[in-house]
Amino acid sequence: MVWRALFRGFIQVHILHHAREHPVYGSWLIDELARHGYTLSPGTLYPILHRMEEDGLLSSTHQVIDGKRRRYYTITSAGEQALKEARRQAIELAKEIVPAQDLGNCDTDTQEKQ
Amino acid sequence: MVWRALFRGFIQVHILHHAREHPVYGSWLIDELARHGYTLSPGTLYPILHRMEEDGLLSSTHQVIDGKRRRYYTITSAGEQALKEARRQAIELAKEIVPAQDLGNCDTDTQEKQ
DNA sequence: TATATTAATATCGATTGTCGATATCGATTT
DNA sequence: AAATCGATATCGACAATCGATATTAATATA
């Protein structure tokens, strides 16, 4: 699709969100993001994780679980900051482009027609 | 900021949104986006507009208004499709990463603590 | 009718990011 | 020790980003 480019940032926000809830690793993220409608190959995801770590948004450690060697990523405080900012912008974006009722607003007086 | 990269797609979604409401031109968009917290230079914006037109999301015409030669962009039907998809994803994203009450949800039973 | 001014748009080149395909790694099983 | 398997890393071609700078065309001024 032409509009893949629109969602590159969304992917990183999702990653930060998950990494805030619990440590995450690459191939789990691939599955999880696919569940959200973002299909991306390892060759796309791993460089993104590397850069996000390099930028100080994530930190990682090696672990062996069930005999599988994984690199678990956790959010850093800089990452939390970025996620906070992303939340602000996501609210902004959603409120601007999405009709109020689609966001779960039940104050029918303030609904806007489009 | 390190997290500029997270919002590249947001910018394009905003552009589609505005271009759906009325024809828009470059330097107006620069001001409008700045109002939303996205500062970007002409050298960043114009290539984005060119690509979006090339991709068939926008179409443009020259017009002279108040003695100013402007290129007005309008959304195409492919652009509407992309915006529709962006709405879906923006809702998804917002609902996942943002506490419900921050989106205007007044169903207090389903509020989630974080 | 030249020239200065101005808002708007376009281009440039260096850097960085994306992507699918392929390679590698290391723990476990056979 | 060879094969398997899940997971991670790398590669190279291509595309996008960015600030700085140049160009454009309409108007105002001389």
Side-chain angles (χ1 to χ4, degrees):
Chain A
M1 306 293 169
V2 163
W3 59 70
R4 274 291 291 270
L6 305 194
F7 305 127
R8 284 184 198 128
F10 285 39
I11 289 170
Q12 296 182 48
V13 176
H14 262 113
I15 293 172
L16 285 176
H17 171 70
H18 289 302
R20 199 184 85 94
E21 297 192 313
H22 50 79
V24 296
Y25 62 97
S27 71
W28 180 85
L29 277 171
I30 288 178
D31 294 343
E32 175 64 20
L33 291 169
R35 239 169 279 139
H36 289 290
Y38 307 103
T39 62
L40 69 175
S41 70
T44 303
L45 178 65
Y46 287 105
I48 289 174
L49 292 175
H50 297 167
R51 184 166 36 78
M52 289 177 75
E53 179 166 24
E54 194 172 331
D55 287 346
L57 304 178
L58 298 174
S59 73
S60 74
T61 60
H62 267 114
Q63 286 184 44
V64 176
I65 306 256
D66 292 335
K68 283 133 192 178
R69 185 180 141 280
R70 296 172 180 162
R71 179 178 290 273
Y72 278 91
Y73 289 89
T74 314
I75 198 167
T76 64
S77 63
E80 302 241 25
Q81 280 301 109
L83 181 58
K84 216 163 156 183
E85 178 65 15
R87 270 201 206 99
R88 278 209 330 94
Q89 294 285 14
I91 292 173
E92 251 272 311
L93 182 69
K95 285 194 172 165
E96 179 158 4
I97 72 171
V98 176
Q101 64 271 23
D102 292 349
L103 287 176
N105 191 333
C106 59
D107 179 356
T108 52
D109 289 341
T110 61
Q111 282 186 11
E112 291 175 21
K113 299 286 189 299
Q114 57 160 356
Chain B
M1 305 293 168
V2 163
W3 59 71
R4 273 292 289 269
L6 305 195
F7 304 127
R8 282 182 201 132
F10 287 39
I11 289 170
Q12 295 182 49
V13 175
H14 263 112
I15 292 172
L16 285 176
H17 171 70
H18 289 303
R20 198 184 86 94
E21 298 192 314
H22 51 76
V24 296
Y25 62 96
S27 70
W28 180 85
L29 277 171
I30 287 178
D31 294 344
E32 176 63 20
L33 291 168
R35 240 168 277 139
H36 289 289
Y38 306 103
T39 62
L40 68 176
S41 70
T44 303
L45 178 64
Y46 287 104
I48 288 175
L49 291 175
H50 297 166
R51 184 167 37 77
M52 289 177 75
E53 180 166 25
E54 194 174 330
D55 287 346
L57 304 178
L58 299 175
S59 72
S60 73
T61 59
H62 267 114
Q63 286 184 45
V64 176
I65 304 256
D66 292 336
K68 283 133 192 178
R69 184 179 141 281
R70 294 172 180 162
R71 179 177 288 274
Y72 278 91
Y73 289 88
T74 314
I75 197 167
T76 63
S77 63
E80 301 240 26
Q81 280 301 108
L83 181 57
K84 217 162 155 184
E85 179 65 16
R87 270 201 206 99
R88 278 207 332 93
Q89 295 284 14
I91 291 172
E92 251 272 312
L93 182 69
K95 285 194 173 167
E96 180 158 4
I97 72 172
V98 176
Q101 63 272 22
D102 293 348
L103 288 175
N105 191 334
C106 59
D107 179 357
T108 52
D109 290 341
T110 61
Q111 282 186 13
E112 290 175 22
K113 303 284 192 301
Q114 57 158 354

